[in-house]
Amino acid sequence: MPLISVIIPVYNGEATIKETIASVLNQTFKDFELIVINDGSTDSTLDVVSSILDPRLKVFSYPNGNQAVSRNRGLSRATGEYISFIDADDLWTPDKLEAQLKALQENPQAGVAYSWTDLIDEAGHFIRGGAKIYWKGESHGRMLLNDFVESGSNPLIRAQAFKEVGKFDESLPPAEDWDMWIRLAARYHYILVPSVQVLYRIRANSSSTNVLRMEQVSLRIIEDRYGEAPDSLQYLKRYSLGNRYKYLVFKALEEPPVRQRGLTAIRFLWHAVRYDPVLLRRRIIWKVLLRIAIVVLLPPKLAQVALNKVKNLADILTLVILIRTDLVSPQT
């Protein structure tokens, strides 16, 4: 049996799946199986995958479900001692599996190894670096505060852990991975490989851009996971809510500018300030308000021109940086 099972859920991924698979097959660590779950694709995804000849590659086709359903289908097929997932448009650096496996083998108390992430666009060009949070050890509170793993394409996980915490919640896309990471953090330590090894592709039509759905499932996750968390962590709940709404403001205002998303961002911002009033004293609040005004008041094409002209003044990346990741004291 292979030591690692890699699972790729894919739905209509003809444009990127070949490159994603290549980034897995080109790993320096070779003892793995690659399980592709074809989630009812209607394009040429299956033809592209079938053209790749490698004995480690296994393809299974199912009727269309969703990302969580496909991940669970992959888990049911996996035979490795360790499990990793990668979305069908993301990429790994060649040393990803080797470095994460080494980290887990050297830290038997850890159940999850994660690396750092860079963001790329649809053409594969660098957009920006990820948060690059440095953390290892007991992680329950920190994972409740924020998903520092950053994507479902990142961690390597002991297969035994899934037997204890169960499968992905199929009602929670596009945030089912954060829910899983919290459940794992409640039982296992996390270990960091301090290197960028995941390239996460941002696409305009990706599931993570559905901000209303993201809000709905995020609030449910926070309620459910704090419902099971110990009393010692309950004081963090308002910070978790504040963090999530900061992230939602950022996602709502990502380009391209759309008036309805700008209006939604106003509501998200109100909640972000409600749970973290300190935000009102930060300079970023004026950048956010400027960006909202441009997106809401101008037609999309003019809004894009205006945003390009005031790029620095309307840059709201700091909003993501202000997401709290450290455990504050209950009195703070």
Side-chain angles (χ1 to χ4, degrees):
M1 290 192 301
L3 192 59
I4 296 176
S5 295
V6 178
I7 298 168
I8 304 180
V10 57
Y11 171 72
N12 288 352
E14 62 182 5
T16 58
I17 185 63
K18 188 173 183 178
E19 188 180 9
T20 297
I21 289 175
S23 80
V24 178
L25 296 179
N26 291 334
Q27 291 291 299
T28 55
F29 180 82
K30 303 297 184 184
D31 185 18
F32 63 83
E33 62 179 351
L34 176 53
I35 300 170
V36 174
I37 301 297
N38 174 37
D39 187 28
S41 296
T42 57
D43 63 358
S44 63
T45 291
L46 196 55
D47 293 334
V48 173
V49 175
S50 299
S51 71
I52 301 172
L53 303 179
D54 191 293
R56 295 170 295 179
L57 177 61
K58 305 173 183 178
V59 185
F60 302 94
S61 293
Y62 294 91
N64 181 250
N66 60 37
Q67 184 89 327
V69 170
S70 291
R71 286 172 172 170
N72 287 339
R73 286 167 171 167
L75 281 173
S76 70
R77 298 281 186 174
T79 61
E81 294 180 33
Y82 301 86
I83 307 289
S84 194
F85 304 89
I86 179 169
D87 291 347
D89 53 358
D90 294 340
L91 303 172
W92 286 345
T93 61
D95 60 342
K96 189 264 189 188
L97 288 180
E98 181 179 4
Q100 290 184 342
L101 178 62
K102 183 171 183 272
L104 284 177
Q105 290 176 332
E106 292 177 351
N107 295 271
Q109 77 283 11
V112 182
Y114 74 102
S115 308
W116 288 334
T117 299
D118 277 349
L119 281 66
I120 59 175
D121 63 17
E122 295 189 50
H125 300 136
F126 176 83
I127 299 176
R128 61 178 172 86
K132 294 181 174 60
I133 295 172
Y134 193 103
W135 180 250
K136 60 182 180 179
E138 200 286 320
S139 303
H140 193 187
R142 283 171 173 80
M143 188 56 74
L144 281 166
L145 280 174
N146 183 52
D147 178 7
F148 57 80
V149 168
E150 295 193 290
S151 89
S153 298
N154 189 337
L156 181 68
I157 305 162
R158 298 185 192 274
Q160 177 61 34
F162 288 105
K163 296 179 181 179
E164 295 186 23
V165 304
K167 295 184 177 181
F168 289 92
D169 189 324
E170 297 177 1
S171 67
L172 291 178
E176 78 278 6
D177 47 358
W178 183 35
D179 176 71
M180 175 59 77
W181 309 158
I182 297 172
R183 286 154 55 196
L184 288 166
R187 292 173 175 263
Y188 289 95
H189 286 192
Y190 279 53
I191 188 70
L192 168 67
V193 175
S195 178
V196 173
Q197 296 184 312
V198 180
L199 302 179
Y200 178 78
R201 198 182 305 265
I202 299 293
R203 295 183 295 119
N205 63 344
S206 69
S207 60
S208 63
T209 61
N210 185 341
V211 290
L212 293 178
R213 172 66 179 168
M214 178 69 77
E215 178 194 26
Q216 177 189 12
V217 297
S218 294
L219 294 177
R220 180 179 154 195
I221 289 169
I222 289 171
E223 288 301 316
D224 289 351
R225 299 286 71 84
Y226 272 99
E228 298 177 354
D231 291 343
S232 61
L233 295 178
Q234 293 300 320
Y235 75 95
L236 293 173
K237 185 175 181 180
R238 70 182 178 99
Y239 297 108
S240 296
L241 288 162
N243 282 345
R244 207 59 177 174
Y245 273 108
K246 290 173 197 172
Y247 173 75
L248 286 167
V249 171
F250 179 81
K251 294 297 292 183
L253 294 175
E254 276 190 314
E255 298 180 12
V258 178
R259 184 174 186 272
Q260 185 56 50
R261 288 166 67 92
L263 294 172
T264 300
I266 296 173
R267 181 172 62 82
F268 289 166
L269 182 61
W270 183 86
H271 283 298
V273 171
R274 172 188 170 199
Y275 292 115
D276 187 5
V278 175
L279 189 59
L280 285 173
R281 302 200 296 268
R282 303 281 190 175
R283 289 183 183 179
I284 186 62
I285 195 73
W286 298 108
K287 292 188 175 185
V288 173
L289 291 172
L290 174 60
R291 195 174 187 93
I292 288 175
I294 291 172
V295 171
V296 170
L297 297 177
L298 298 178
K301 289 185 178 180
L302 287 179
Q304 187 62 69
V305 172
L307 289 174
N308 291 337
K309 287 184 177 180
V310 295
K311 190 171 184 178
N312 291 332
L313 289 176
D315 183 358
I316 61 172
L317 182 58
T318 303
L319 195 62
V320 178
I321 298 173
L322 288 176
I323 288 177
R324 305 183 73 152
T325 57
D326 292 331
L327 296 182
V328 294
S329 67
Q331 289 76 33
T332 301

